[in-house]
Amino acid sequence: MVTMKDVAMMAGVSLGTVSNFINKTHPVSTKKEKAILEAIRQLNYEVNDSAKNLRSKKTSEIGLVIPNVSDPYYQNVLRGAESYISSHGYTLALATTNNDPALEKKIVKELFRKQVAGLIVASCQPFGAEFYNSVLQKSEAPIAFIDRKITGVTGNFFGCNCRKSIFDFTRALIHENKSRILFLSGPITFSDQEEAYEGYTGAFSSAGLAVDKNLVCFSILNKEESFAQTLDLISKYPIDAIVTTSEDMALGALAAVDFYHPSNADSISVFSLGEDNWSNSFNQRITTSNRPAIRLGVEAASAVCKQIS
């Protein structure tokens, strides 16, 4: 079996230089790099990844921690991240939190215990700076955050313009004389949900109208809770339209409308933040925005891979 020592002898360099080149531990001159690459080609040398990982104490896995995989938006974040990660020699370790902070902490701790090479997180801990700063201090593995910022944590962040999307939706509805707009969002402590709410209130403000706080609901980001909240509110207040921050919530709201107003359901417009692929055909009765979910996954994965290198 061809060894690193064989490569060093053919290239005319030290074993340490070959190790530095392969493991990226120290820079190697262009001349020596070319000699090593030529020796690797001639000898058909293959890097022993298991041994390399054992020495570096790192796996070739990059973790992706997201709330769920039921929402098409996160499905495409996953697609983008996985395609980039796999094409750059890594494997993806996927975990879902269901927006449970305790579960998220447990998952992140386990991934770092396994010595992942890097991590991408859509966190449900907006005030989790102490936890993540502690994690970052103990590990050299880079972290990229998507969608939701964590106050007090510096690092890569990638998100979409939720504020503008919701503002445009709401303003268009108001221009159509539909001002009884139910707003369904996840917890406002999540930065993306806060931005969406700012877009909603901003549209009313630009039209010189006041927001009816009875039609604003911050809830759990799932279909079941959205169904229950929508059913409760439309039984109390007349509404013209519904604006939500996820397609899961939009589906729950639509089901509540169908249940409560079966003969008049089509008169209530439903809008949602969506994703960038096939969301427009996801449900013909839900109008969605085009958030670049796949691109977001690619950008986050690219940042992590570059930091690892």
Side-chain angles (χ1 to χ4, degrees):
M1 183 180 74
V2 178
T3 66
M4 198 182 295
K5 186 176 181 180
D6 297 325
V7 173
M9 290 180 63
M10 176 170 279
V13 299
S14 69
L15 179 61
T17 300
V18 176
S19 175
N20 288 337
F21 172 73
I22 291 175
N23 296 310
K24 310 294 183 187
T25 49
H26 291 285
V28 174
S29 70
T30 303
K31 181 179 179 181
K32 290 180 179 179
E33 181 179 319
K34 288 180 178 178
I36 293 169
L37 286 171
E38 180 59 22
I40 288 173
R41 186 188 66 79
Q42 289 190 31
L43 294 171
N44 197 27
Y45 173 73
E46 294 183 2
V47 178
N48 186 332
D49 284 331
S50 297
K52 182 179 174 183
N53 289 339
L54 187 62
R55 286 192 299 272
S56 67
K57 297 183 180 180
K58 295 289 182 185
T59 70
S60 60
E61 287 188 316
I62 293 176
L64 175 63
V65 183
I66 53 179
N68 61 68
V69 289
S70 62
D71 192 316
Y73 172 72
Y74 284 115
Q75 290 173 13
N76 278 324
V77 168
L78 168 60
R79 285 178 57 195
E82 188 169 34
S83 66
Y84 188 94
I85 286 169
S86 61
S87 68
H88 285 75
Y90 296 93
T91 56
L92 183 138
L94 173 66
T96 58
T97 65
N98 295 315
N99 286 309
D100 181 341
L103 179 57
E104 181 182 317
K105 285 184 179 181
K106 181 179 179 181
I107 288 169
V108 170
K109 286 179 180 178
E110 178 62 19
L111 288 170
F112 275 97
R113 190 191 67 77
K114 291 173 59 181
Q115 298 288 338
V116 290
L119 192 63
I120 302 169
V121 184
S123 178
C124 60
Q125 299 184 78
F127 307 111
E130 183 178 354
F131 170 73
Y132 276 105
N133 284 331
S134 173
V135 167
L136 287 166
Q137 286 174 359
K138 294 175 183 177
S139 174
E140 295 179 355
I143 301 180
F145 296 96
I146 56 175
D147 281 340
R148 303 164 182 174
K149 299 174 183 176
I150 300 178
T151 304
V153 176
T154 58
N156 294 305
F157 175 77
F158 302 90
C160 304
N161 196 339
C162 300
R163 185 184 292 105
K164 183 179 185 304
S165 295
I166 294 295
F167 177 89
D168 290 344
F169 277 155
T170 309
R171 184 175 60 175
L173 287 167
I174 292 171
H175 285 175
E176 294 174 8
N177 294 317
K178 293 185 175 183
S179 60
R180 302 288 301 171
I181 304 169
L182 172 59
F183 178 73
L184 293 171
S185 166
I188 198 171
T189 51
F190 295 167
S191 62
D192 58 336
Q193 306 300 296
E194 181 183 21
E195 290 172 6
Y197 180 59
E198 289 171 355
Y200 173 79
T201 56
F204 276 90
S205 178
S206 69
L209 299 174
V211 170
D212 184 347
K213 294 297 180 66
N214 292 315
L215 299 183
V216 175
C217 179
F218 300 107
S219 182
I220 300 170
L221 286 158
N222 62 37
K223 286 182 285 189
E224 294 75 20
E225 187 67 18
S226 177
F227 174 86
Q229 295 289 348
T230 302
L231 192 60
D232 177 59
L233 290 170
I234 63 176
S235 68
K236 298 175 181 176
Y237 308 102
I239 63 168
D240 303 320
I242 301 172
V243 171
T244 74
T245 58
S246 79
E247 288 184 71
D248 270 357
M249 295 187 80
L251 286 172
L254 191 63
V257 170
D258 288 343
F259 180 83
Y260 194 78
H261 292 299
S263 61
N264 197 36
D266 289 339
S267 66
I268 299 176
S269 304
V270 180
F271 292 78
S272 173
L273 292 175
E275 43 75 46
D276 60 353
N277 189 22
W278 45 269
S279 64
N280 287 333
S281 62
F282 180 67
N283 188 305
Q284 295 297 329
R285 292 172 60 198
I286 300 174
T287 303
T288 61
S289 68
N290 289 322
R291 289 183 292 175
I294 293 176
R295 191 180 73 200
L296 192 72
V298 169
E299 288 175 349
S302 172
V304 168
C305 288
K306 285 177 181 176
Q307 279 191 263
I308 294 170
S309 296

